[in-house]
Amino acid sequence: MPQAPAGARRQWAADRAMRAPMRSPGRPEPSRAVLREFWRVIASGVTTVQAAESVGVSAPVGIRWFRHAGGMTPLSLDEPAGRYLSFAEREEIALLKAQDKGVREIARTIGRDPGTVSRELRRNAATRGGKPIYRAVVAQWKAQQAAKRPKSAKLVGNERLREYVRDRLAGNVRRPDGRIVLGPRTPPWKRLNKPRRQDRRWSTAWSPEQIAHRLKVDFLDDESMRISHEAIYQSLFIEGRGALKRELVTCLRTGRALREPRARSRNKPQGHVTTDVVLSERPAEADDRAVPRHWEGDLIIGTGRSAIGTLVERSSRSTLLVHLPCLEGWGEKPYLKNGLALGGYGALVMNAVLTASMTMLPDQLRKTLTWDRGKELSGHAQFALDTGTRVFFADPHSPWQRPKNENTNGLLRQYFPKGTDLSRWSADDLAAVAHKLNNRPRKILGWKTPAEVFDEQLRSLQQAGVASTG
């Protein structure tokens, strides 16, 4: 192979002397084009293994990329601007250079300026052998390293902001009088995707979005106390960010240490319902959430026939939790087919406890209750007579028809994870969790709490009642 001219060698040596030495990063980074395609396929909803196969890497490599990025796309999926050389162009340069083509001929072939090609050959050539040899893979890696603009995370440099975020991610559940309600004793987190399903820890866990918006309320004039919810998620999910301990992901409602792509998700049983109580018969005013007194309800189920009833007011999002004790003889008497259900959510128990909970509310604030099609509320006719609250049932497999309740049940799973025996918690414990939930700021309420909105509704109804009798 002919030697490069002396002038070119001197120019290359001068360029090399001015640049900081590049240490090997260990495992070579993949091409950004490959990574971009990998995350594009992930966003379509396929599994990580399938995405890895589609871009030509092994399954363990694809899984490692996904886990190290916390399930979050680490780079823009948009193609880079045309001013930068692509990996395909670098491959073309390497092929033409190996054929002893000159700089100007290479530039004409790929449609670039000769100066661009000349700089590329000088700056990004492989130098391990002591002389510059241009290889596309090495050139791409050098270009990516030089393009990096590392920035320390905002939570790393602002201790006050970090403490605020951390405290609201990992607080204690407290009763109204300030006493702490102890949750389940949890095993240590082993840095897996989720903690053990049984007995995951409780947490007050404001969501990152709630924290980000509440900062503007609590620190109105302090611009240093600002952070986006996405930056908080990145600090929790992405390995090596160093701002927050990754153990705090157990405080998030989902408990996941990885973000799950939206396209990767999916459904509910049904009981006997008569035509007069289907959702289409519900009063039209219930669809308008500006009017209080319409509720949505459901159960969250635990092990051993344990359950907790959940009631959510559609307008204020105020939550009531219903304690469901087992009847006498549960676990002792043999099972009797078609006999009385002794478990925590038989129709008899359900009617009794729901009636007790709803009758604590003013008559004006309990007009309708929308439930799913479970048979636990098969005694709805008697419930309607006892409380004056009409019951309507959502359509089969249609949880979006009870959106507030479904969302609240998701929030409650941070306190009562799936696979947990829910009968261990007393009515006082449930009241403490409901109190905590009703005093979290909500985006849909303009960052007010459900308790504040519910109190406003109650006062307005009382004032209307006074005016009408006056």
Side-chain angles (χ1 to χ4, degrees), residues 9 27 36 77 91 173 181 231 298 306 334 346 391 436 458:
R9 288 200 301 272
R27 183 192 304 121
R36 193 172 284 112
L77 296 182
E91 286 183 319
V173 180
V181 181
D298 196 10
S306 62
V391 178
K436 201 66 181 176
L458 192 56

Side-chain angles (χ1 to χ4, degrees), residues 267-283:
N267 164 325
K268 226 172 189 252
Q270 152 187 6
H272 176 69
V273 177
T274 56
T275 55
D276 59 322
V277 292
V278 294
L279 191 71
S280 58
E281 298 296 317
R282 189 175 69 179

Side-chain angles (χ1 to χ4, degrees), residues 348-427:
L348 190 64
V349 175
M350 199 73 211
N351 261 20
V353 295
L354 268 187
T355 300
S357 296
M358 292 298 283
T359 50
M360 290 191 298
L361 300 168
D363 292 346
Q364 309 98 307
L365 283 178
R366 47 182 168 93
K367 186 171 182 180
T368 69
L369 172 62
T370 304
W371 204 267
D372 74 351
R373 298 216 165 187
K375 291 184 178 179
E376 64 275 358
L377 211 57
S378 57
H380 58 85
Q382 185 62 46
F383 171 78
L385 285 174
D386 293 341
T387 64
T389 304
R390 294 188 62 191
V391 178
F392 297 92
F393 293 91
D395 297 331
H397 311 295
S398 304
W400 58 86
Q401 294 177 346
R402 300 175 297 102
K404 306 308 164 202
N405 187 245
E406 286 291 319
N407 179 56
T408 300
N409 287 350
L411 295 173
L412 286 167
R413 281 300 184 185
Q414 67 187 344
Y415 307 101
F416 312 109
K418 292 181 180 179
T420 302
D421 181 3
L422 303 180
S423 64
R424 74 177 73 174
W425 313 121
S426 67

Side-chain angles (χ1 to χ4, degrees), residues 262-329:
R262 275 179 202 242
R264 277 191 194 172
S265 305
R266 292 290 168 249
N267 164 325
K268 226 172 189 252
Q270 152 187 6
H272 176 69
V273 177
T274 56
T275 55
D276 59 322
V277 292
V278 294
L279 191 71
S280 58
E281 298 296 317
R282 189 175 69 179
E285 74 165 29
D287 296 328
D288 182 7
R289 299 191 185 97
V291 181
R293 64 181 172 259
H294 300 286
W295 295 76
E296 297 173 2
D298 196 10
L299 298 178
I300 56 174
I301 307 296
T303 58
R305 290 284 298 177
S306 62
I308 294 172
T310 63
L311 298 169
V312 183
E313 204 276 312
R314 285 172 59 84
S315 177
S316 67
R317 281 70 174 177
S318 186
T319 301
L320 292 176
L321 297 184
V322 180
H323 181 55
L324 295 170
C326 296
L327 294 180
E328 185 180 350

